[in-house]
Amino acid sequence: MDPEAFLELANQVTKLKMFPYFDIAHCVICCLYAREDVGTGAQPFSRKHPLANWVSCMLTIFAGGILTSLLLGEPALGVFKNNQQLMLATAVWYVIYYSPFDVGYHIAKCLPLKVVLAAMKEVYRVKKINDGVGHVAKLYPNGYVIMIIVGTLKGNGSGFMKILERLSRGVWTPTAVEFMQPGFATKASIAASLLFVLDSKTDLISAPHALVYFAVCIFFVYFKLSSILLGIHDPFLPFENLFCAIFMGGVWDSLSRTLGGSKGGASGTDKQGDAPKNG
């Protein structure tokens, strides 16, 4: 592809409007996630506790905005000020849970449509990360860590909202903390936030911002589709294991266990050698 045409394509991707189509994809994926998190009892629960079910889905859909608003000292309920987005999210929630014969849920679960929705959701995620980093850059021009934190929460707020979202359904799971077991979305959001910070605040990346943005979109979409179609869930894992082995004490722990085992084996051999022989 011609470089100028590629750059023009990247510029068009950065200018994509999220409402309503990408917002619909985001809401559908979030509602599917919330429903599958409940499991087989999702339908009976939605019939018995519709308000709790709605609150749970809204917390998932607007998680990034709620959490970042709290951290930045902005009104947490400000994310609900856009009536169009709120009505759209409510409509999607209703279709996923209450459509006749559960047809809305089954259509959304159809693999070809799910692939398209997942790809759109990842483009939406990159847009939110980029906007989060840009918003903090205006408030705290030198707050690089704050930019990465806000970008990560914008990218995967539902992961960090999981405990509160489940609590709204009457389920308390304190061990489901995203910091303890971060998923691919969280790790990728951290990497994307860092990349956007480097792009906007340093001279380390010489490429135009549109190309960086487009490359991040391709990365997210590619690995999301790989997860759905090929079962590749966390490409960061090999690098994490290598990093932990080298810098987080893995090598020294293994060496300590090896030396400890060798000493224990030698000590046992010496004791057997010193034992008196029965005549």
Side-chain angles (χ1 to χ4, degrees):
M1 182 182 287
D2 182 60
E4 292 185 0
F6 189 76
L7 181 58
E8 179 61 26
L9 176 61
N11 284 321
Q12 293 300 321
V13 171
T14 61
K15 297 176 183 177
L16 284 174
K17 293 183 179 179
M18 296 294 107
F19 188 86
Y21 302 112
F22 288 89
D23 278 285
I24 290 174
H26 169 68
C27 293
V28 169
I29 296 297
C30 287
C31 287
L32 288 177
Y33 163 80
R35 177 163 175 164
E36 291 169 359
D37 189 53
V38 178
T40 55
Q43 196 171 37
F45 180 85
S46 67
R47 303 306 191 260
K48 190 175 181 180
H49 306 286
L51 179 59
N53 188 36
W54 179 81
V55 171
S56 169
C57 287
M58 294 306 109
L59 286 175
T60 302
I61 292 171
F62 297 100
I66 294 172
L67 292 174
T68 54
S69 295
L70 289 172
L71 290 179
L72 296 175
E74 300 170 354
L77 296 180
V79 295
F80 300 111
K81 66 183 179 183
N82 190 323
N83 293 325
Q84 287 184 322
Q85 287 186 335
L86 185 59
M87 291 174 64
L88 178 65
T90 301
V92 170
W93 161 78
Y94 187 85
V95 169
I96 294 297
Y97 282 93
Y98 300 103
S99 55
F101 308 106
D102 216 12
V103 64
Y105 173 71
H106 291 299
I107 291 176
K109 286 284 291 180
C110 180
L111 184 60
L113 180 59
K114 188 176 181 180
V115 166
V116 174
L117 292 174
M120 294 175 68
K121 158 73 174 174
E122 295 309 307
V123 175
Y124 183 89
R125 190 194 304 276
V126 175
K127 173 69 172 175
K128 289 298 182 181
I129 295 172
N130 184 61
D131 289 349
V133 171
H135 178 63
V136 176
K138 296 176 182 177
L139 298 175
Y140 307 102
N142 296 320
Y144 305 134
V145 174
I146 304 176
M147 296 178 199
I148 295 173
I149 292 173
V150 171
T152 302
L153 291 176
K154 283 283 191 178
N156 191 34
S158 59
F160 294 91
M161 185 68 83
K162 190 182 302 180
I163 294 178
L164 185 59
E165 180 265 326
R166 288 178 176 175
L167 186 60
S168 69
R169 294 188 270 107
V171 179
W172 174 239
T173 54
T175 57
V177 181
E178 189 69 14
F179 296 110
M180 296 178 65
Q181 294 180 336
F184 169 73
T186 297
K187 300 171 188 177
S189 295
I190 294 173
S193 300
L194 178 61
L195 194 63
F196 287 140
V197 170
L198 292 176
D199 178 46
S200 62
K201 294 296 180 179
T202 70
D203 296 327
L204 296 176
I205 300 176
S206 59
H209 176 72
L211 286 180
V212 176
Y213 183 95
F214 189 43
V216 174
C217 285
I218 293 174
F219 172 82
F220 272 84
V221 171
Y222 175 78
F223 281 106
K224 185 62 179 181
L225 298 187
S226 298
S227 172
I228 296 174
L229 301 175
L230 304 176
I232 302 174
H233 295 293
D234 193 350
F236 289 105
L237 198 57
F239 302 101
E240 285 181 34
N241 292 336
L242 180 62
F243 179 84
C244 291
I246 297 174
F247 299 106
M248 296 292 138
V251 172
W252 306 113
D253 291 342
S254 299
L255 184 61
S256 177
R257 286 193 296 268
T258 302
L259 294 176
S262 300
K263 290 180 179 179
S267 177
T269 303
D270 292 341
K271 287 182 179 180
Q272 289 179 0
D274 294 340
K277 298 181 180 180
N278 294 326

Coordinates of all heavy atoms in Angstrom, one line a residue, residues 116-190:
V116 N -17.5 -9.4 14.7 CA -17.6 -8.0 14.3 C -17.7 -7.1 15.5 O -17.0 -6.1 15.6 CB -18.8 -7.9 13.3 CG1 -19.0 -6.4 13.0 CG2 -18.5 -8.7 12.0
L117 N -18.6 -7.5 16.4 CA -18.8 -6.6 17.6 C -17.5 -6.5 18.4 O -17.2 -5.5 19.0 CB -19.9 -7.2 18.4 CG -21.3 -7.1 17.8 CD1 -22.3 -7.9 18.7 CD2 -21.8 -5.7 17.6
A118 N -16.8 -7.6 18.6 CA -15.6 -7.6 19.3 C -14.5 -6.7 18.7 O -13.8 -6.0 19.4 CB -15.0 -9.1 19.5
A119 N -14.4 -6.8 17.4 CA -13.4 -5.9 16.7 C -13.8 -4.4 16.9 O -12.9 -3.6 17.1 CB -13.4 -6.3 15.2
M120 N -15.1 -4.1 16.8 CA -15.5 -2.7 17.0 C -15.3 -2.3 18.4 O -14.9 -1.2 18.7 CB -17.0 -2.6 16.6 CG -17.3 -2.8 15.2 SD -19.1 -2.8 14.8 CE -19.5 -1.1 15.1
K121 N -15.5 -3.2 19.4 CA -15.3 -2.9 20.8 C -13.8 -2.6 21.0 O -13.5 -1.7 21.8 CB -15.7 -4.1 21.6 CG -15.1 -4.3 23.0 CD -15.7 -3.3 24.0 CE -15.1 -3.5 25.4 NZ -15.5 -2.5 26.3
E122 N -12.9 -3.2 20.3 CA -11.5 -3.0 20.5 C -11.1 -1.6 20.0 O -10.3 -0.9 20.6 CB -10.6 -4.1 19.9 CG -10.8 -5.4 20.6 CD -10.6 -5.4 22.1 OE1 -9.6 -4.9 22.5 OE2 -11.5 -5.9 22.8
V123 N -11.7 -1.2 18.8 CA -11.5 0.1 18.3 C -12.0 1.2 19.3 O -11.4 2.2 19.5 CB -12.1 0.3 16.9 CG1 -12.0 1.7 16.4 CG2 -11.5 -0.7 15.9
Y124 N -13.1 0.9 19.9 CA -13.7 1.8 20.9 C -12.8 1.9 22.1 O -12.6 2.9 22.7 CB -15.1 1.2 21.3 CG -15.9 2.0 22.3 CD1 -16.8 3.0 21.9 CD2 -15.8 1.7 23.7 CE1 -17.5 3.7 22.8 CE2 -16.5 2.5 24.6 CZ -17.4 3.4 24.1 OH -18.1 4.2 25.0
R125 N -12.2 0.7 22.5 CA -11.3 0.7 23.7 C -10.1 1.6 23.4 O -9.7 2.4 24.3 CB -10.8 -0.7 23.9 CG -10.1 -0.9 25.3 CD -9.4 -2.2 25.3 NE -10.2 -3.4 25.1 CZ -11.0 -4.0 26.0 NH1 -10.9 -3.5 27.3 NH2 -11.7 -5.0 25.7
V126 N -9.5 1.5 22.2 CA -8.3 2.3 21.9 C -8.7 3.8 21.9 O -7.9 4.7 22.4 CB -7.8 1.9 20.5 CG1 -6.6 2.9 20.1 CG2 -7.3 0.5 20.6
K127 N -9.9 4.1 21.4 CA -10.3 5.5 21.4 C -10.4 6.0 22.9 O -10.0 7.2 23.2 CB -11.7 5.6 20.7 CG -12.4 6.9 20.8 CD -11.7 8.0 20.0 CE -12.5 9.3 19.9 NZ -11.8 10.4 19.2
K128 N -11.0 5.2 23.8 CA -11.1 5.6 25.2 C -9.8 5.8 25.8 O -9.6 6.7 26.6 CB -12.0 4.6 25.9 CG -13.5 4.6 25.5 CD -14.1 5.9 25.8 CE -15.6 5.9 25.5 NZ -16.2 7.3 25.8
I129 N -8.8 4.9 25.5 CA -7.5 5.0 26.1 C -6.8 6.3 25.6 O -6.3 7.1 26.4 CB -6.6 3.8 25.7 CG1 -7.2 2.5 26.3 CG2 -5.2 4.0 26.2 CD1 -6.5 1.3 25.8
N130 N -6.9 6.6 24.3 CA -6.3 7.8 23.8 C -6.9 9.0 24.4 O -6.2 10.0 24.7 CB -6.4 7.7 22.3 CG -5.8 8.9 21.6 OD1 -4.5 9.1 21.7 ND2 -6.5 9.7 20.9
D131 N -8.2 9.0 24.5 CA -8.9 10.2 25.0 C -8.6 10.4 26.5 O -8.4 11.5 27.0 CB -10.4 10.0 24.9 CG -10.9 10.2 23.4 OD1 -10.0 10.6 22.6 OD2 -12.0 9.9 23.1
G132 N -8.5 9.3 27.2 CA -8.1 9.4 28.7 C -6.7 9.9 28.9 O -6.5 10.8 29.7
V133 N -5.8 9.5 28.1 CA -4.4 10.0 28.2 C -4.4 11.5 27.8 O -3.7 12.3 28.5 CB -3.4 9.2 27.3 CG1 -2.1 9.9 27.2 CG2 -3.3 7.8 27.8
G134 N -5.1 11.8 26.7 CA -5.1 13.2 26.3 C -5.8 14.1 27.3 O -5.4 15.3 27.5
H135 N -6.8 13.6 28.0 CA -7.6 14.4 29.0 C -6.6 14.7 30.2 O -6.6 15.9 30.7 CB -8.8 13.7 29.5 CG -9.6 14.4 30.5 ND1 -10.2 15.6 30.4 CD2 -9.9 14.0 31.8 CE1 -10.8 16.0 31.5 NE2 -10.6 15.1 32.4
V136 N -5.9 13.7 30.7 CA -5.0 13.9 31.8 C -3.8 14.8 31.4 O -3.3 15.6 32.2 CB -4.5 12.6 32.3 CG1 -3.5 12.8 33.5 CG2 -5.7 11.7 32.8
A137 N -3.4 14.7 30.2 CA -2.3 15.5 29.7 C -2.6 17.0 29.8 O -1.7 17.8 30.0 CB -1.9 15.2 28.3
K138 N -3.8 17.4 29.7 CA -4.2 18.8 29.8 C -4.3 19.2 31.3 O -4.0 20.3 31.6 CB -5.6 19.0 29.2 CG -5.6 18.8 27.7 CD -7.0 18.9 27.1 CE -7.0 18.6 25.6 NZ -8.4 18.7 25.0
L139 N -4.7 18.2 32.2 CA -4.8 18.6 33.6 C -3.5 18.5 34.3 O -3.1 19.4 35.1 CB -5.8 17.6 34.3 CG -7.2 17.6 33.8 CD1 -8.0 16.5 34.5 CD2 -7.9 18.9 34.0
Y140 N -2.7 17.5 34.0 CA -1.4 17.3 34.6 C -0.3 17.0 33.5 O -0.1 15.8 33.2 CB -1.4 16.1 35.6 CG -2.5 16.2 36.6 CD1 -3.7 15.4 36.5 CD2 -2.4 17.0 37.7 CE1 -4.7 15.5 37.4 CE2 -3.4 17.1 38.7 CZ -4.6 16.4 38.5 OH -5.6 16.5 39.4
P141 N 0.2 18.1 32.9 CA 1.1 17.9 31.8 C 2.3 17.0 32.0 O 2.8 16.3 31.1 CB 1.6 19.3 31.5 CG 0.5 20.2 32.0 CD 0.0 19.5 33.2
N142 N 2.8 16.9 33.3 CA 3.9 16.1 33.6 C 3.6 14.9 34.4 O 4.4 14.2 34.9 CB 5.0 16.9 34.4 CG 5.5 18.1 33.6 OD1 5.8 17.9 32.4 ND2 5.7 19.2 34.2
G143 N 2.3 14.6 34.6 CA 1.8 13.4 35.3 C 1.7 12.2 34.5 O 0.7 11.7 34.2
Y144 N 2.9 11.7 34.1 CA 2.9 10.5 33.2 C 2.3 9.3 33.8 O 1.6 8.5 33.1 CB 4.4 10.2 32.8 CG 5.1 11.4 32.2 CD1 6.4 11.7 32.7 CD2 4.5 12.2 31.3 CE1 7.1 12.8 32.1 CE2 5.2 13.3 30.7 CZ 6.5 13.6 31.1 OH 7.1 14.7 30.6
V145 N 2.5 9.0 35.1 CA 1.9 7.9 35.8 C 0.4 8.0 35.8 O -0.3 7.0 35.6 CB 2.5 7.7 37.2 CG1 1.8 6.6 37.9 CG2 4.0 7.4 37.1
I146 N -0.1 9.2 36.1 CA -1.5 9.5 36.1 C -2.1 9.2 34.7 O -3.2 8.6 34.6 CB -1.8 10.9 36.6 CG1 -1.2 11.2 37.9 CG2 -3.3 11.2 36.7 CD1 -1.3 12.6 38.4
M147 N -1.4 9.6 33.7 CA -1.9 9.4 32.3 C -2.1 7.9 32.1 O -3.1 7.4 31.5 CB -1.0 10.0 31.3 CG -0.8 11.5 31.4 SD 0.4 12.1 30.1 CE 0.7 13.7 30.8
I148 N -1.1 7.1 32.5 CA -1.1 5.6 32.3 C -2.2 5.0 33.1 O -3.0 4.1 32.6 CB 0.2 5.0 32.6 CG1 1.3 5.5 31.7 CG2 0.2 3.5 32.6 CD1 2.7 5.1 32.0
I149 N -2.4 5.5 34.3 CA -3.5 4.9 35.2 C -4.9 5.2 34.6 O -5.7 4.3 34.5 CB -3.4 5.5 36.6 CG1 -2.2 5.0 37.3 CG2 -4.6 5.2 37.4 CD1 -1.9 5.6 38.7
V150 N -5.1 6.5 34.2 CA -6.4 6.8 33.6 C -6.6 6.1 32.3 O -7.7 5.6 32.0 CB -6.5 8.4 33.5 CG1 -7.7 8.7 32.7 CG2 -6.5 9.0 34.9
G151 N -5.6 6.1 31.5 CA -5.7 5.3 30.2 C -6.1 3.9 30.4 O -6.9 3.3 29.7
T152 N -5.4 3.3 31.4 CA -5.7 1.8 31.7 C -7.2 1.7 32.2 O -7.9 0.7 31.7 CB -4.7 1.3 32.7 OG1 -3.4 1.5 32.3 CG2 -5.0 -0.1 33.0
L153 N -7.6 2.5 33.0 CA -9.0 2.4 33.5 C -10.0 2.7 32.5 O -11.1 2.1 32.4 CB -9.2 3.4 34.7 CG -8.4 3.1 36.0 CD1 -8.6 4.2 37.0 CD2 -8.9 1.7 36.6
K154 N -9.7 3.6 31.6 CA -10.6 3.9 30.4 C -10.6 2.7 29.5 O -11.7 2.4 28.9 CB -10.1 5.1 29.7 CG -10.4 6.5 30.3 CD -11.8 6.9 30.1 CE -12.1 8.3 30.5 NZ -13.5 8.7 30.2
G155 N -9.5 2.0 29.4 CA -9.5 0.8 28.5 C -10.1 -0.4 29.0 O -10.7 -1.2 28.3
N156 N -10.0 -0.6 30.3 CA -10.6 -1.8 30.9 C -11.2 -1.5 32.3 O -10.9 -2.2 33.3 CB -9.6 -2.9 31.0 CG -10.2 -4.3 31.4 OD1 -11.3 -4.6 31.0 ND2 -9.5 -5.1 32.2
G157 N -12.1 -0.5 32.4 CA -12.7 -0.2 33.6 C -13.5 -1.3 34.2 O -13.6 -1.4 35.4
S158 N -14.2 -2.1 33.3 CA -15.1 -3.1 33.8 C -14.3 -4.2 34.6 O -14.8 -4.8 35.5 CB -15.8 -3.8 32.6 OG -14.8 -4.3 31.7
G159 N -13.0 -4.4 34.2 CA -12.2 -5.3 35.0 C -12.0 -4.9 36.4 O -12.0 -5.7 37.4
F160 N -11.8 -3.6 36.6 CA -11.5 -3.0 37.9 C -12.8 -2.8 38.7 O -12.8 -2.6 39.9 CB -10.7 -1.7 37.8 CG -9.3 -1.9 37.3 CD1 -9.1 -1.8 36.0 CD2 -8.3 -2.1 38.2 CE1 -7.8 -2.0 35.5 CE2 -7.0 -2.3 37.7 CZ -6.8 -2.2 36.3
M161 N -13.9 -2.7 38.0 CA -15.2 -2.5 38.6 C -15.9 -3.8 38.9 O -17.0 -3.9 39.5 CB -16.1 -1.7 37.6 CG -17.5 -1.3 38.1 SD -17.4 -0.1 39.4 CE -17.3 1.4 38.5
K162 N -15.2 -4.9 38.7 CA -15.8 -6.3 38.8 C -16.4 -6.5 40.2 O -17.5 -7.0 40.3 CB -14.8 -7.3 38.5 CG -15.4 -8.7 38.3 CD -14.3 -9.7 38.0 CE -13.5 -9.4 36.8 NZ -12.5 -10.4 36.5
I163 N -15.7 -6.1 41.2 CA -16.1 -6.4 42.6 C -17.4 -5.6 42.9 O -18.4 -6.2 43.4 CB -15.0 -6.0 43.6 CG1 -13.8 -7.0 43.5 CG2 -15.6 -6.1 45.0 CD1 -12.7 -6.6 44.4
L164 N -17.4 -4.4 42.6 CA -18.6 -3.6 42.8 C -19.8 -4.0 41.9 O -21.0 -4.0 42.4 CB -18.3 -2.1 42.6 CG -19.4 -1.1 42.9 CD1 -19.8 -1.2 44.4 CD2 -19.0 0.3 42.6
E165 N -19.5 -4.4 40.7 CA -20.6 -4.8 39.8 C -21.2 -6.1 40.3 O -22.4 -6.3 40.3 CB -20.0 -5.0 38.4 CG -20.9 -5.5 37.4 CD -20.9 -7.0 37.2 OE1 -19.8 -7.6 37.4 OE2 -22.0 -7.6 36.9
R166 N -20.4 -7.0 40.8 CA -20.9 -8.2 41.4 C -21.7 -8.0 42.7 O -22.7 -8.6 43.0 CB -19.8 -9.3 41.6 CG -19.3 -9.9 40.4 CD -18.1 -10.8 40.6 NE -17.6 -11.5 39.4 CZ -16.6 -12.3 39.4 NH1 -15.9 -12.5 40.5 NH2 -16.2 -12.8 38.2
L167 N -21.1 -7.0 43.5 CA -21.8 -6.7 44.7 C -23.2 -6.1 44.5 O -24.1 -6.3 45.3 CB -20.9 -5.6 45.5 CG -21.4 -5.3 46.9 CD1 -21.4 -6.5 47.8 CD2 -20.5 -4.2 47.5
S168 N -23.4 -5.4 43.4 CA -24.7 -4.9 43.1 C -25.7 -6.0 42.8 O -26.9 -5.8 42.8 CB -24.6 -4.0 41.8 OG -24.3 -4.7 40.7
R169 N -25.2 -7.2 42.5 CA -26.0 -8.4 42.3 C -26.1 -9.2 43.6 O -26.6 -10.4 43.5 CB -25.5 -9.2 41.2 CG -25.6 -8.6 39.8 CD -25.3 -9.5 38.7 NE -23.8 -9.5 38.3 CZ -23.0 -10.5 38.6 NH1 -23.4 -11.6 39.3 NH2 -21.7 -10.4 38.2
G170 N -25.5 -8.8 44.7 CA -25.5 -9.5 45.9 C -24.4 -10.6 46.0 O -24.5 -11.5 46.9
V171 N -23.4 -10.4 45.2 CA -22.3 -11.4 45.3 C -21.0 -10.7 45.7 O -20.6 -9.7 45.1 CB -22.1 -12.1 43.9 CG1 -20.9 -13.0 43.9 CG2 -23.3 -12.7 43.4
W172 N -20.4 -11.2 46.7 CA -19.2 -10.6 47.3 C -18.0 -11.5 47.0 O -17.8 -12.6 47.5 CB -19.3 -10.4 48.8 CG -18.1 -9.9 49.5 CD1 -17.4 -10.5 50.5 CD2 -17.4 -8.7 49.2 NE1 -16.4 -9.8 50.9 CE2 -16.3 -8.6 50.1 CE3 -17.6 -7.6 48.3 CZ2 -15.4 -7.6 50.2 CZ3 -16.6 -6.6 48.4 CH2 -15.6 -6.5 49.3
T173 N -17.1 -11.0 46.1 CA -15.9 -11.8 45.7 C -14.7 -10.9 45.9 O -14.2 -10.3 44.9 CB -16.0 -12.3 44.2 OG1 -16.3 -11.1 43.4 CG2 -17.1 -13.3 44.1
P174 N -14.2 -10.7 47.1 CA -13.0 -9.8 47.3 C -11.7 -10.3 46.7 O -10.8 -9.4 46.5 CB -12.9 -9.9 48.9 CG -13.5 -11.1 49.3 CD -14.6 -11.4 48.3
T175 N -11.6 -11.5 46.3 CA -10.4 -12.0 45.6 C -10.4 -11.7 44.1 O -9.3 -11.8 43.5 CB -10.2 -13.5 45.8 OG1 -11.4 -14.2 45.3 CG2 -10.1 -13.9 47.3
A176 N -11.5 -11.2 43.6 CA -11.5 -10.9 42.1 C -11.0 -9.5 41.9 O -11.7 -8.6 41.3 CB -13.0 -11.0 41.6
V177 N -9.8 -9.2 42.4 CA -9.2 -7.9 42.2 C -8.3 -8.0 40.9 O -7.5 -8.9 40.8 CB -8.3 -7.5 43.4 CG1 -7.7 -6.2 43.2 CG2 -9.2 -7.6 44.7
E178 N -8.5 -7.0 40.0 CA -7.8 -7.0 38.8 C -6.3 -6.9 39.0 O -5.5 -7.4 38.2 CB -8.3 -5.9 37.9 CG -7.8 -5.9 36.5 CD -8.3 -7.0 35.6 OE1 -9.3 -7.7 36.1 OE2 -7.8 -7.3 34.5
F179 N -5.9 -6.3 40.1 CA -4.4 -6.1 40.3 C -3.8 -7.5 40.6 O -2.6 -7.7 40.3 CB -4.2 -5.2 41.5 CG -4.6 -3.8 41.3 CD1 -5.7 -3.3 42.0 CD2 -4.0 -3.0 40.5 CE1 -6.1 -2.0 41.8 CE2 -4.4 -1.7 40.3 CZ -5.4 -1.2 41.0
M180 N -4.6 -8.4 41.2 CA -4.0 -9.7 41.5 C -3.9 -10.6 40.3 O -2.9 -11.4 40.1 CB -4.9 -10.4 42.6 CG -4.9 -9.7 43.9 SD -6.0 -10.5 45.1 CE -5.2 -12.0 45.3
Q181 N -4.9 -10.6 39.4 CA -4.8 -11.4 38.2 C -5.2 -10.5 37.0 O -6.4 -10.7 36.5 CB -5.8 -12.6 38.4 CG -5.4 -13.6 39.4 CD -6.3 -14.7 39.5 OE1 -7.5 -14.6 39.2 NE2 -5.8 -15.9 40.0
P182 N -4.4 -9.6 36.6 CA -4.8 -8.8 35.4 C -4.9 -9.6 34.1 O -4.1 -10.5 33.8 CB -3.6 -7.8 35.3 CG -2.4 -8.5 36.0 CD -3.0 -9.4 37.1
G183 N -6.0 -9.3 33.4 CA -6.2 -9.9 32.2 C -5.5 -9.3 31.0 O -4.8 -8.2 31.2
F184 N -5.7 -9.8 29.8 CA -5.0 -9.3 28.7 C -5.4 -7.8 28.4 O -4.6 -7.0 28.0 CB -5.3 -10.1 27.4 CG -4.8 -9.5 26.1 CD1 -3.5 -9.4 25.8 CD2 -5.8 -9.0 25.3 CE1 -3.1 -8.8 24.6 CE2 -5.4 -8.4 24.1 CZ -4.0 -8.3 23.8
A185 N -6.7 -7.5 28.6 CA -7.2 -6.2 28.3 C -6.5 -5.2 29.2 O -6.2 -4.1 28.7 CB -8.7 -6.1 28.5
T186 N -6.3 -5.5 30.4 CA -5.6 -4.6 31.3 C -4.1 -4.4 30.9 O -3.6 -3.3 30.9 CB -5.7 -5.1 32.8 OG1 -7.0 -5.2 33.2 CG2 -4.9 -4.2 33.7
K187 N -3.4 -5.5 30.6 CA -2.0 -5.4 30.2 C -1.9 -4.6 28.9 O -1.0 -3.8 28.8 CB -1.5 -6.8 30.1 CG -1.5 -7.6 31.3 CD -1.1 -9.1 31.0 CE -1.4 -10.0 32.2 NZ -1.1 -11.4 31.9
A188 N -2.8 -4.9 28.0 CA -2.7 -4.2 26.7 C -3.0 -2.7 26.9 O -2.4 -1.9 26.2 CB -3.6 -4.8 25.7
S189 N -4.0 -2.4 27.8 CA -4.3 -1.0 28.0 C -3.1 -0.3 28.6 O -2.9 0.9 28.3 CB -5.6 -0.9 28.9 OG -6.7 -1.5 28.3
I190 N -2.4 -0.9 29.5 CA -1.2 -0.3 30.1 C -0.2 0.0 29.0 O 0.4 1.1 29.0 CB -0.6 -1.2 31.2 CG1 -1.6 -1.3 32.4 CG2 0.7 -0.7 31.7 CD1 -1.1 -2.3 33.5

